[in-house]
Amino acid sequence: MNWTSLSRFFSALLVVGLVLSGCGGEKRTLLEVGSQAPPFTLKLVDGKTTWNMADHAGKPMVITFMASWCPCSHDSIPLTKEAHGRFSDRGVEFLMVGLQDAESKFEDFVAKQAPPFPAGFDDGEPISRTYGVSAPPTTVFIGKDGLVKRIFYGNIKDVVEDYYLWIEELVA
């Protein structure tokens, strides 16, 4: 085996290892469907206001964990904005939580994407850890009863029809 082949082999092995480990380094256990969604408070990117889960009790919620560097987050944001347009008048709350990013880069991402719903940076990632989120995008669907109804890891663009059905289930 020559040096180039050996180098390619170890590069491929590294990629497989990262994929199998979740690419996020720290292994986290996702919340279980049916469990109570843990309460949290998040400082929003405007720096002036906070989003407190307790203030939204009794409302269905879609919480998406995203990062500025993540192509799937970029793909998912237009659909999340569209879903907000379809479901916000039916009481569904949407929230974007930034993780695995520099706060300034996430703030720039939010400014560029201009979501019509609140967004905040999970500084130190206590919320992400509590929710078991190890990589963006991860979307958590919470019912009016405060229970986790569904968790989806990945690009919403890949499951558009299901995504809208999952939100529809929250308001049914």
Side-chain angles (χ1 to χ4, degrees):
M1 189 178 267
N2 65 31
W3 178 251
T4 303
S5 297
L6 192 59
S7 177
R8 286 184 184 152
F9 171 77
F10 283 114
S11 294
L13 190 60
L14 176 64
V15 168
V16 168
L18 287 173
V19 168
L20 292 177
S21 71
C23 296
E26 177 185 344
K27 186 166 175 61
R28 301 176 186 180
T29 303
L30 281 174
L31 292 176
E32 295 207 18
V33 170
S35 66
Q36 186 70 39
F40 64 87
T41 300
L42 178 69
K43 182 180 85 168
L44 300 181
V45 295
D46 68 7
K48 300 172 191 164
T49 54
T50 57
W51 190 93
N52 187 325
M53 192 170 209
D55 295 338
H56 303 273
K59 297 179 182 178
M61 295 179 223
V62 177
I63 301 172
T64 305
F65 294 82
M66 295 188 177
S68 68
W69 55 265
C70 174
C72 294
S73 290
H74 284 266
D75 285 348
S76 295
I77 190 81
L79 296 166
T80 307
K81 288 164 67 173
E82 182 180 316
H84 175 269
R86 283 170 111 175
F87 291 98
S88 64
D89 64 340
R90 295 174 66 189
V92 179
E93 300 280 330
F94 288 79
L95 177 68
M96 184 187 338
V97 179
L99 77 155
Q100 297 180 357
D101 219 337
E103 186 170 5
S104 62
K105 288 186 180 193
F106 182 73
E107 289 171 350
D108 291 346
F109 171 69
V110 171
K112 181 178 178 184
Q113 297 296 334
F117 44 83
F121 184 70
D122 188 11
D123 191 22
E125 300 189 9
I127 300 164
S128 301
R129 276 193 301 281
T130 300
Y131 275 71
V133 177
S134 62
T138 299
T139 305
V140 181
F141 300 82
I142 301 169
K144 298 173 194 174
D145 55 5
L147 299 179
V148 175
K149 302 299 182 183
R150 185 173 307 274
I151 302 165
F152 179 76
Y153 166 76
N155 191 337
I156 293 298
K157 185 174 93 173
D158 295 338
V159 293
V160 175
E161 289 180 28
D162 290 331
Y163 178 62
Y164 291 122
L165 288 173
W166 297 336
I167 300 172
E168 190 68 48
E169 290 171 354
L170 297 177
V171 295

